């Protein structure tokens, strides 16, 4: 299952890229498990994902909780809590 | 009339206000957010999630239009680099009477803080830092939760 990953704000800076294509194993069934798996990709990933309490996610552009089932998404975004307005 | 947009261009208040005044409203409420010069902030950069941001603004505008039977609603948010005094966000709503206009405007500015994927980075001279969310923003957004 190929997923287009998007990262924003300091998550993007810590990882070093704003976008990447990944192919996680089938055992990855939730957003949190995807984050666990991605954390092993590089030091930047593990640093960005060190504190789960500071992460938010969107699956195919819909905000979801980290324990939400992943389904078969085209796009998953990981980012800090939003601070607009 | 619903208008929701993310833009890098400055926000033209006169133009936006005129567009909602012609809807036959009895009451118009607007909110303009400006970049503050807090503790020596020299620049503010707004990052967003393209696509998702537009959808979030439109969903909020449609929600408000329906809940308060608005005649017009405009939600504009700037992205990119701004400086103290620059307009960063504009909300304008037109309704038959003042109460729904004021309430819908408050709803929109509270929910923009928590529901739309924007991130702020403040620069003080050469030092830049991401703005942390405030718990009070969550509280303000939560007061609009619909019953049931």
């Amino acid at each position: 299952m190929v997923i287009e990953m998007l990262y924003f704000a300091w998550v993007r800076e810590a990882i070093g890229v704003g976008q990447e294509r990944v192919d996680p194993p089938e055992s990855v069934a939730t957003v949190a498990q995807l984050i666990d798996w991605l954390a092993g990709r590089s030091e930047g990933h593990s640093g960005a994902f060190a504190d789960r309490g500071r992460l938010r996610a969107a699956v195919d552009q819909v905000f979801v909780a980290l324990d939400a089932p992943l389904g078969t998404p085209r796009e998953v975004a990981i980012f800090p809590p939003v601070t607009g307005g | 009339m619903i208008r929701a947009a993310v833009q890098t261009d400055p926000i033209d208040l006169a133009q936006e206000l005129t567009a909602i005044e012609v809807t036959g409203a009895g009451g118009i409420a607007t909110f303009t957010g400006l970049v503050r010069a807090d503790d020596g902030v020299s620049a503010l950069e707004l990052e967003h999630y393209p696509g998702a941001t537009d959808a979030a603004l439109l969903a909020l505008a449609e929600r408000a239009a329906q809940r308060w039977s608005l005649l017009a609603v405009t939600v504009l948010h700037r992205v990119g680099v701004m400086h103290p005094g620059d307009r960063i966000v504009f909300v304008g709503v037109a309704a038959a009477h003042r109460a729904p206009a004021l309430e819908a405007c408050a709803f929109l500015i509270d929910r923009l803080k928590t529901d739309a994927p924007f991130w702020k980075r403040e620069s003080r001279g050469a030092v830049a830092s991401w703005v942390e969310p405030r718990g009070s923003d969550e509280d303000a957004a939560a007061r609009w939760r619909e019953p049931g």
Side-chain angles (χ1 to χ4, degrees):
Chain A
M1 172 178 59
V2 175
I3 301 174
E4 196 73 41
M5 294 300 309
L6 300 177
Y7 308 117
F8 295 103
W10 54 255
V11 172
R12 169 179 55 75
E13 289 180 337
I15 291 171
V17 295
Q19 199 164 354
E20 65 181 340
R21 194 161 288 174
V22 301
D23 188 3
E26 274 180 31
S27 57
V28 169
T30 66
V31 175
Q33 287 168 2
L34 176 63
I35 291 171
D36 286 339
W37 178 77
L38 288 165
R41 281 172 74 84
S42 78
E43 222 167 274
H45 288 80
S46 76
F49 299 149
D51 183 356
R52 301 295 155 87
R54 300 182 71 207
L55 299 177
R56 299 291 182 271
V59 172
D60 286 330
Q61 306 205 345
V62 176
F63 285 36
V64 296
L66 295 192
D67 59 2
L70 200 52
T72 53
R74 189 180 54 81
E75 178 182 293
V76 175
I78 312 287
F79 43 80
V82 303
T83 54
Chain B
M1 183 199 77
I2 289 179
R3 168 163 150 73
V6 179
Q7 62 184 58
T8 52
D9 291 340
I11 293 166
D12 184 334
L13 291 185
Q15 188 183 314
E16 299 304 336
L17 200 49
T18 303
I20 55 176
E21 275 180 350
V22 299
T23 54
I28 290 191
T30 69
F31 173 83
T32 307
L34 307 181
V35 177
R36 292 188 308 267
D38 281 358
D39 329 312
V41 168
S42 50
L44 184 72
E45 186 170 359
L46 260 292
E47 178 172 335
H48 76 122
Y49 180 174
T53 339
D54 305 77
L57 297 191
L58 188 60
L60 276 177
E62 284 174 343
R63 188 86 169 281
Q66 195 177 18
R67 183 163 167 184
W68 284 278
S69 301
L70 303 178
L71 298 165
V73 51
T74 298
V75 179
L76 300 180
H77 206 300
R78 277 189 73 190
V79 291
V81 178
M82 278 158 268
H83 298 94
D86 286 355
R87 296 174 194 131
I88 178 172
V89 60
F90 172 80
V91 170
V93 303
H97 301 283
R98 70 180 188 274
L102 289 166
E103 272 186 33
C105 189
F107 163 85
L108 285 164
I109 57 182
D110 283 342
R111 294 291 290 268
L112 266 173
K113 283 272 182 196
T114 56
D115 291 19
F118 291 101
W119 299 273
K120 286 176 176 160
R121 182 165 52 179
E122 296 173 334
S123 293
R124 293 174 174 82
V127 181
S129 60
W130 291 97
V131 174
E132 291 291 328
R134 295 182 305 184
S136 57
D137 292 338
E138 290 285 347
D139 296 342
R143 78 189 167 108
W144 296 104
R145 204 164 289 144
E146 280 156 275

